[in-house]
Amino acid sequence: MSGPPQPPRRPAPEAAGTSTRLAWLDVLRGLAALAVVFDHISYYVLQHVRHIVYHWFDPGNYGVFVFFIISGYIVPASHERKGSVRTFWVSRLFRLYPLYLLAVGIAVALYFAHLGPIRGENSDPATSVLSQLLMMSNVLQGKNLPNVVWSLSYEMIFYLLLTALFIARVHKRSSWYALGFAAAAVAIGGLLPQAFFTHNVATPRLIALVADLVVLAGLAFAVVLRGMSRLLGAAVAAVVAIALLAFNSSWIWPWEALSILALMFTGTMFYRAEQGQYPWRRAIAIGVTVFGLAIASGLWHSRAWGMPAHAELLWSRRWISAFTLAGLTFAAGLAFRHHLRWPKVLTWLGLVSYSLYLLHPLVIEVYHHFYPSRQHTFPVQVLIAAGLLTLIIAISSVTYLCVERPMQGLGRRVGRRLDARFGPDRMPAAVPAREPAMAGRGHPAAE
């Protein structure tokens, strides 16, 4: 379906290493990043190619689904490896916020230079700041500045939920959570409202303020305190996050948001299978079930849109193919992770993919400002697309080397200093969780 450019559907990736063990994840990120960039560049060039591709496949959805699975796979692994709530949140702070603040600053600068819009943010700056303070703008009725940061809302909700599960020592029941969110997407995803709190309870500014204060207080309890107070704080923050996802999402539908969490916990489940904590046969069976439920939720609930028959057919085809190919892509990477020599170009794209994600819409916006015409011959469009892609990768490489990587290193040093000053913040190991009976019998191996 045609329309104005939409924000790319992908989450912020976890910092990838350069080791062979993680190279396959970088390759998948690189492929996903290319799919997202094509999705947005093709609004202005290569429109004919876009028209053909979109008859069968949505590269933007494909890219974001791959990114969310990867995030679900690697972020809980990082959390458990650190074994510390404090260290995890320090690493998240230094991983995400420096580039995020830079992107916001560039977007504002472009606006004042009359080179790009900021999509209504100036109409209520206070609400904008409050809604984006915790990167949860898409569930707090923010305008998403830059517009791509809507997906970080669901990444942040995942982190808050993980923290509560980790402190409660029930974080290893990943398959239950994946199945639960996927089933909820089908059963109640079409019944949940959008923006309920901000339309019926209070003003967007007040809702954002209260949500920020409660989540920050809950995180403070989880990071600083111990015992039951720590668990209570983490639980309150997680409950607020889930309530916002279920009742106050704006740009995406509730069943999409629930499907996103199902995908992320499916990625976590595959990590556990790789670590020997779950039998692979169970993990594969549950993964296929989750993907089937997520596809079914879209096909079922999209009927409420009242699309014409042909439009509904095209949308259904794209929804199914994007989910299916995303799952197959992740499965292929997982299957061949130890058997292939991965191209360095793609692994580098994976390393810089967070910069690429936040900054590529700004580059495209500037291009569109100076060259608004879309009437070019096909060879010229190919050259323009190649030039834009090269520029985007070059800028992203610079920001990765000059902003992301140094700040990640600083975050590790800050974490070590906090450990030295206040003592290690380690959680006791959890009892391995049992798997759902539907997937087979037996106990998973101990971690």
Side-chain angles (χ1 to χ4, degrees):
M1 296 176 65
S2 61
Q6 299 291 340
R9 301 186 169 197
R10 55 97 73 211
E14 170 70 10
T18 56
S19 67
T20 303
R21 183 178 64 85
L22 295 178
W24 69 280
L25 290 174
D26 290 328
V27 170
L28 296 193
R29 287 193 187 99
L31 293 174
L34 291 178
V36 172
V37 172
F38 169 78
D39 184 41
H40 295 97
I41 286 181
S42 62
Y43 279 104
Y44 303 102
V45 295
L46 301 177
Q47 296 97 328
H48 180 65
V49 175
R50 178 186 180 86
H51 179 73
I52 295 173
V53 169
Y54 266 75
H55 266 82
W56 300 94
F57 176 63
D58 185 333
N61 273 349
Y62 163 80
V64 70
F65 294 153
V66 172
F67 275 119
F68 275 122
I69 300 170
I70 292 173
S71 187
Y73 178 92
I74 196 65
V75 171
S78 174
H79 202 326
E80 293 169 24
R81 184 177 66 251
K82 293 176 174 64
S84 165
V85 174
R86 182 177 64 214
T87 303
F88 172 77
W89 280 100
V90 168
S91 72
R92 291 294 84 199
L93 177 67
F94 283 89
R95 170 73 177 106
L96 299 179
Y97 269 90
L99 188 69
Y100 172 73
L101 295 176
L102 176 64
V104 170
I106 294 174
V108 172
L110 291 177
Y111 169 74
F112 284 110
H114 306 290
L115 296 178
I118 57 176
R119 307 188 187 282
E121 293 292 332
N122 56 331
S123 62
D124 189 357
T127 300
S128 177
V129 171
L130 290 171
S131 67
Q132 300 197 82
L133 180 64
L134 300 181
M135 293 186 175
M136 296 173 66
S137 54
N138 208 63
V139 294
L140 291 174
Q141 291 299 289
K143 301 298 183 181
N144 298 320
L145 178 67
N147 64 341
V148 295
V149 303
W150 72 270
S151 59
L152 295 182
S153 301
Y154 304 97
E155 190 85 4
M156 188 62 68
I157 289 169
F158 184 59
Y159 298 162
L160 293 170
L161 187 54
L162 277 181
T163 299
L165 296 175
F166 184 70
I167 293 174
R169 293 188 290 179
V170 293
H171 56 291
K172 293 189 176 182
R173 300 171 183 175
S174 310
S175 58
W176 284 106
Y177 306 133
L179 286 170
F181 281 114
V186 176
I188 63 174
L191 303 176
L192 296 172
Q194 284 187 295
F196 174 80
F197 296 141
T198 51
H199 288 169
N200 299 278
V201 177
T203 64
R205 183 183 303 182
L206 182 58
I207 292 295
L209 175 62
V210 172
D212 286 350
L213 291 176
V214 174
V215 170
L216 285 173
L219 273 180
F221 274 52
V223 171
V224 175
L225 300 181
R226 296 293 182 269
M228 186 57 65
S229 297
R230 156 178 273 195
L231 177 57
L232 179 62
V236 168
V239 168
V240 170
I242 292 297
L244 291 173
L245 176 145
F247 299 102
N248 216 52
S249 288
S250 56
W251 189 66
I252 67 173
W253 299 91
W255 51 266
E256 291 181 278
L258 292 169
S259 297
I260 285 171
L261 285 186
L263 282 183
M264 297 177 88
F265 277 111
T266 300
T268 309
M269 179 188 63
F270 285 130
Y271 162 74
R272 302 203 185 287
E274 186 187 30
Q275 297 299 305
Q277 298 171 24
Y278 293 167
W280 270 110
R281 289 179 63 182
R282 297 179 180 180
I284 293 172
I286 294 171
V288 171
T289 301
V290 169
F291 270 79
L293 289 172
I295 290 173
S297 71
L299 298 180
W300 175 254
H301 298 306
S302 64
R303 292 178 178 273
W305 299 343
M307 291 184 291
H310 181 66
E312 184 175 328
L313 173 64
L314 292 180
W315 189 93
S316 300
R317 188 187 293 167
R318 292 194 295 262
W319 182 254
I320 294 172
S321 62
F323 254 108
T324 303
L325 290 177
L328 291 176
T329 298
F330 186 82
L334 195 58
F336 294 103
R337 63 193 182 282
H338 300 309
H339 306 292
L340 293 179
R341 191 180 183 88
W342 303 103
K344 291 185 177 180
V345 172
L346 288 180
T347 58
W348 180 254
L349 282 178
L351 285 174
V352 305
S353 60
Y354 184 46
S355 283
L356 191 151
Y357 153 65
L358 282 183
L359 301 179
H360 84 270
L362 302 176
V363 175
I364 295 173
E365 200 74 65
V366 173
Y367 162 78
H368 179 60
H369 174 82
F370 286 108
Y371 302 98
S373 173
R374 305 184 184 187
Q375 302 303 316
H376 302 288
T377 62
F378 183 73
V380 172
Q381 291 187 47
V382 172
L383 290 176
I384 293 173
L388 285 173
L389 179 61
T390 301
L391 179 61
I392 290 166
I393 293 173
I395 293 173
S396 300
S397 298
V398 171
T399 55
Y400 172 75
L401 293 172
C402 297
V403 179
E404 289 192 70
R405 195 161 70 177
M407 295 308 295
Q408 291 173 38
L410 178 60
R412 288 190 288 271
R413 292 193 294 274
V414 169
R416 288 194 293 268
R417 289 179 182 177
L418 289 174
D419 280 351
R421 174 66 177 83
F422 300 104
D425 174 33
R426 306 296 175 195
M427 296 293 297
V431 177
R434 297 187 64 176
E435 279 300 278
M438 62 158 285
R441 295 187 177 185
H443 297 274
E447 183 180 15

